[in-house]
Structure formats: structure tokens, C-alpha cells
Amino acid sequence: AIAMQRRQMIKYILAGGVVAASGGGYLWVSEKRDHVELTTEVTIRKLHQLAWAPITKRGTWNPYQVFNHCAQSVEFSMTGFPESESALFQNTVGAVAFSVFAARGAMSHNLAEEIPGAPALDVGGDPQVALAHLIKVLQEFESYSGQLQPHFAFGELDKREYALAHALHINNHLQEFDL
């Protein structure tokens, strides 16, 4: 009888811990944070500064590939991604992932994974040309007034959410460089 009461007590303590952790996690994720640096304008300014900085790669991709990959993502937000996850994935896993990234103010993803269905990234080329292209595409996104296309993993995003996603994505890739 005492062993059974002890097991019941352990179950209640564990259940209470799970509920408390879930509630705390929900509050942390749902808390509104001010991420003023996570805008298209600030991202463009940061990229302009890279034009004058020596860049050493740490990741799998070289700067030319990284800048072109990021530009593809921005372009696809306006023209449509070549392949997408299922609506179920986008509305569950994808939506939760975006919410967590947005709440944290940081994205983490496989930095050597191409966008599904996107043309393969060229290995060689001038990184400054690719950087200029990324900046140009971000400026086009900023002035874009057409309908945005669903993100291949996150699903439907409005302009503000897409701007945040692009800033988070680019910032995550910039971590691949020693500047």
C-alpha cells in the first residue's frame, strides 16, 4: 500500500512538472519580444557592411553559395517555392517551428540543406556579385506589393512575418562566417 502511494505521488509530481514546464514554455514562446534588428532594412544594412569585410567560411558552403541560397529563399517568397511540405506539416510542425524561431529571435537549421526543388547552387563565383544580388532581391521584397507565396515549411506568412523569416534565415547563415 505504501509503495502504491509512493508511485502515485511520483506520478503526480511528474505530471505537475510537465504541466508547469509546458505552461512556462508556452509563456516564453508566446511572449512578445521586440526584435528591431530583425527587419529587412537592418538586414540590408548588415549585408552592405559585408561588402567591406573579409569573410572566412566555417560552414560547408562558401559565401557565394550562401548568398545565392538566401536570395533564392527571398525570391521564392514572391514567386513560389518549387516544392512544399504538406499542408498538415506547414500547419503543425512548420507553424510551431516558425513561432519558436520568432520568439527566440534566432533560427537554427541545417546550413547546408538546399531549398527543396530549387536549382542546385553553383559552387564557384564572385561572392560580391552574389551579395549584391541578395541585397537587390531584399530591396525588391521590401517594395513588393503582390501576394506572397506560402513558405515551403512554414506555410502562409504575411509580409511582416516573411521579413522576420528572411532576417532570421540570413542571420543564421551569417553564423557560418568569421568576419
Side-chain angles (χ1 to χ4, degrees):
I2 293 177
M4 183 174 262
Q5 289 175 343
R6 200 173 300 155
R7 277 193 298 258
Q8 284 294 100
M9 179 62 89
I10 290 171
K11 283 183 186 177
Y12 289 132
I13 289 171
L14 289 175
V18 167
V19 169
S22 299
Y26 172 78
L27 290 174
W28 181 80
V29 167
S30 64
E31 178 183 332
K32 297 287 184 219
R33 290 180 171 78
D34 185 21
H35 298 300
V36 275
E37 75 281 2
L38 297 174
T39 66
T40 305
E41 181 182 323
V42 171
T43 301
I44 290 170
R45 273 200 311 259
K46 187 182 296 186
L47 293 172
H48 274 294
Q49 292 172 350
L50 287 180
W52 306 104
I55 300 172
T56 306
K57 79 175 188 110
R58 285 182 291 160
T60 304
W61 289 347
N62 64 46
Y64 180 78
Q65 291 169 293
V66 170
F67 298 143
N68 281 319
H69 166 77
C70 292
Q72 280 180 333
S73 182
V74 176
E75 289 169 329
F76 291 150
S77 69
M78 296 179 282
T79 62
F81 285 83
E83 293 178 14
S84 292
E85 296 289 345
S86 70
L88 177 63
F89 180 94
Q90 291 176 356
N91 291 316
T92 56
V93 175
V96 169
F98 179 74
S99 294
V100 169
F101 295 154
R104 285 180 32 212
M107 178 183 287
S108 57
H109 73 296
N110 180 347
L111 297 175
E113 185 174 18
E114 294 186 7
I115 297 168
L121 296 168
D122 288 333
V123 176
D126 183 345
Q128 293 302 320
V129 170
L131 177 60
H133 176 66
L134 173 56
I135 291 169
K136 178 179 168 278
V137 169
L138 280 166
Q139 291 167 334
E140 289 170 2
F141 171 81
E142 189 67 14
S143 63
Y144 185 73
S145 60
Q147 181 171 343
L148 294 168
Q149 302 302 307
H151 186 274
F152 78 94
F154 305 144
E156 297 288 336
L157 298 176
D158 64 24
K159 182 90 177 242
R160 183 190 58 76
E161 291 167 330
Y162 246 129
L164 175 60
H166 293 321
L168 293 170
H169 184 229
I170 292 167
N171 285 342
N172 191 197
H173 277 286
L174 292 181
Q175 294 171 348
E176 292 184 273
F177 303 145
D178 288 324
L179 302 172

